[in-house]
Amino acid sequence: PALAHFSDFTEMMRALGYPRLISMENFHTPNFMLVSEVLLWLVKRYEPQTDIPPDVETEQDRVFFIKAVAQFMATKAHIKLNTKKLYQADGYAVKELLKVTSVLYGAMNTKGVERAGVSEEDSSKFKFDLGSKIADLKAARQLASEITSKGASLYDLLGKEVELREARTESIARPLEINEAEKMMKIAIDCVLEQVQKTKDMLSNVALDEANLEAKIEKRKLELERSQKRLQTLQSVRPAFMDEYEKIEEQLQKQYSSYLEKFRNLTYMEQLLDDHRRTEQEMFEEAASMLRLTQNRLKEEEQHLLKSGNNDSDVEIQEDEGSDSEVEDRQIMKQHTTMETLLQG
């Protein structure tokens, strides 16, 4: 039975016009690429406008492809496919593929596609195009609506035919007057001549406008050439003040270099002045601190002398009153001289 199914499948595929030859050896092992190719070809044969992604590289893509094909066949052709057997891609998948091929093969036989006057290529390229049928259905509906509207208008015109027939026969029976026809022809000829004259006037106006535009273009071209020549002369001629300008530029460069030198010297002198003031300030502070130290030392010596003088006896004071006063006067003079020298220093 499996061989019979397989032979029926190969014969149907060959009759439907599948471009490749299919053998039993292709399905000894799972061959998902061939199964997917056959399924996609059958779906395209059933409806060419279908948009099923042909990607079958990954496992997820293959599952999505099988589901999409099964859903399409279930909704469009009412064919229930076993997705597990299709995914196996072996001999069991041939039975599922045979369901679709048998439907297409039966439709091809019932529609009489294989006619005597059709060549082998045309018979092999049978197309069961449902999308084109839908387009034909829309066109048929549009034509039906147009037929009804035209029929209604024709019915109205046929209703007026009784009145129009009398007017038509009367106008046909009336003799044709040559004078009136000649007059009408002259009026038509005059209208045509007037239109021709207007057209000629417009053409002449266009020619005049074209001539004016050409003259303006030539004038602009001449002005452009003169301007370019003037620009070239101005670029080539050296201005009269250029020599003076270069001399002044050289002097300015020298003045700038001297200015830079003086500026550097000035900053250097200001730095030296600041250093000198800083050293003077430090020396002044040091002298003031030395002065304070000497003052404190003198005060301590005076207090020490006063304490030692009070400790002496009264007798010594009476005897040496004159001599002590002289010694004190000398000490005071020494202190004053030391203070003056310190202040001067």
Side-chain angles (χ1 to χ4, degrees):
L3 292 172
H5 288 306
F6 186 79
S7 62
D8 294 337
F9 174 69
T10 54
E11 290 295 327
M12 288 180 184
M13 291 296 289
R14 190 180 298 110
L16 290 174
Y18 187 66
R20 290 177 56 184
L21 293 175
I22 302 173
S23 63
M24 189 64 184
E25 295 177 356
N26 297 127
F27 295 94
H28 282 316
T29 58
N31 192 353
F32 191 86
M33 300 301 293
L34 180 60
V35 172
S36 63
E37 185 179 353
V38 171
L39 282 173
L40 190 61
W41 185 83
L42 291 173
V43 169
K44 293 290 183 182
R45 176 69 70 175
Y46 195 87
E47 188 173 352
Q49 283 78 19
T50 55
D51 188 11
I52 294 175
D55 297 330
V56 290
E57 296 294 331
T58 61
E59 182 180 356
Q60 188 175 1
D61 293 336
R62 292 181 179 182
V63 172
F64 182 78
F65 176 79
I66 295 295
K67 285 183 178 179
V69 172
Q71 186 176 3
F72 173 81
M73 287 297 172
T75 54
K76 298 291 183 180
H78 301 287
I79 299 171
K80 187 177 180 181
L81 299 175
N82 193 341
T83 56
K84 292 182 179 180
K85 291 182 179 180
L86 287 174
Y87 190 81
Q88 289 176 4
D90 52 3
Y92 293 99
V94 177
K95 294 181 181 180
E96 302 300 322
L97 295 172
L98 191 61
K99 295 178 182 179
V100 184
T101 53
S102 61
V103 173
L104 293 175
Y105 186 77
M108 183 178 68
N109 290 329
T110 54
K111 291 295 180 181
V113 176
E114 296 179 353
R115 293 189 300 269
V118 183
S119 62
E120 293 181 359
E121 294 181 357
D122 294 334
S123 64
S124 64
K125 294 180 180 178
F126 169 72
K127 294 182 179 179
F128 189 73
D129 192 356
L130 189 61
S132 62
K133 300 296 181 183
I134 294 172
D136 295 339
L137 181 61
K138 290 181 180 179
R141 287 178 180 175
Q142 187 176 0
L143 289 173
S145 62
E146 290 179 359
I147 288 168
T148 53
S149 62
K150 294 291 179 66
S153 61
L154 182 61
Y155 180 77
D156 295 335
L157 292 173
L158 288 174
K160 296 178 182 178
E161 177 63 19
V162 178
E163 299 175 359
L164 295 175
R165 187 184 300 150
E166 295 177 359
R168 186 170 62 250
T169 54
E170 185 180 354
S171 61
I172 292 171
R174 188 176 61 184
L176 183 64
E177 295 181 0
I178 298 173
N179 294 326
E180 290 182 359
E182 187 177 358
K183 190 186 292 184
M184 295 299 293
M185 290 296 293
K186 284 182 179 180
I187 291 169
I189 290 167
D190 292 335
C191 291
V192 172
L193 291 173
E194 187 178 357
Q195 292 292 330
V196 170
Q197 188 62 36
K198 286 182 180 179
T199 307
K200 287 182 179 179
D201 293 337
M202 291 173 68
L203 289 172
S204 61
N205 292 329
V206 169
L208 290 172
D209 293 338
E210 187 177 359
N212 292 327
L213 289 172
E214 287 180 354
K216 288 181 180 179
I217 290 168
E218 291 294 332
K219 187 178 179 181
R220 296 292 183 186
K221 284 182 179 178
L222 292 173
E223 290 179 356
L224 179 61
E225 289 178 358
R226 286 197 296 269
S227 300
Q228 287 179 352
K229 289 180 180 178
R230 187 177 177 185
L231 177 62
Q232 290 176 0
T233 53
L234 289 172
Q235 288 177 352
S236 61
V237 174
R238 184 180 176 84
F241 58 85
M242 200 66 190
D243 297 333
E244 186 179 359
Y245 174 77
E246 290 178 354
K247 290 179 181 179
I248 293 171
E249 190 175 5
E250 290 177 359
Q251 293 177 2
L252 180 63
Q253 189 68 26
K254 292 178 181 178
Q255 292 292 331
Y256 182 70
S257 60
S258 64
Y259 165 73
L260 287 177
E261 186 177 358
K262 290 178 180 179
F263 182 77
R264 286 196 295 268
N265 294 331
L266 179 62
T267 53
Y268 179 68
M269 295 298 289
E270 286 178 353
Q271 186 178 1
L272 290 176
L273 181 61
D274 292 336
D275 295 338
H276 182 67
R277 287 178 178 173
R278 194 181 299 109
T279 53
E280 284 185 349
Q281 184 69 24
E282 291 176 356
M283 289 175 67
F284 179 74
E285 291 177 356
E286 188 176 355
S289 61
M290 289 293 292
L291 182 60
R292 284 195 296 272
L293 288 172
T294 52
Q295 287 179 356
N296 293 328
R297 192 178 298 124
L298 289 172
K299 286 180 181 180
E300 290 177 357
E301 289 179 355
E302 287 179 358
Q303 291 177 0
H304 183 67
L305 290 172
L306 290 173
K307 288 178 180 180
S308 62
N310 290 326
N311 290 328
D312 291 337
S313 59
D314 294 334
V315 178
E316 289 177 355
I317 290 171
Q318 290 177 1
E319 289 178 352
D320 298 333
E321 186 176 356
S323 62
D324 291 335
S325 61
E326 291 178 358
V327 172
E328 289 177 358
D329 291 334
R330 289 176 184 174
Q331 289 178 354
I332 291 168
M333 286 297 290
K334 286 181 181 179
Q335 290 176 0
H336 282 295
T337 53
T338 53
M339 288 293 289
E340 287 178 358
T341 53
L342 288 170
L343 290 171
Q344 289 176 2

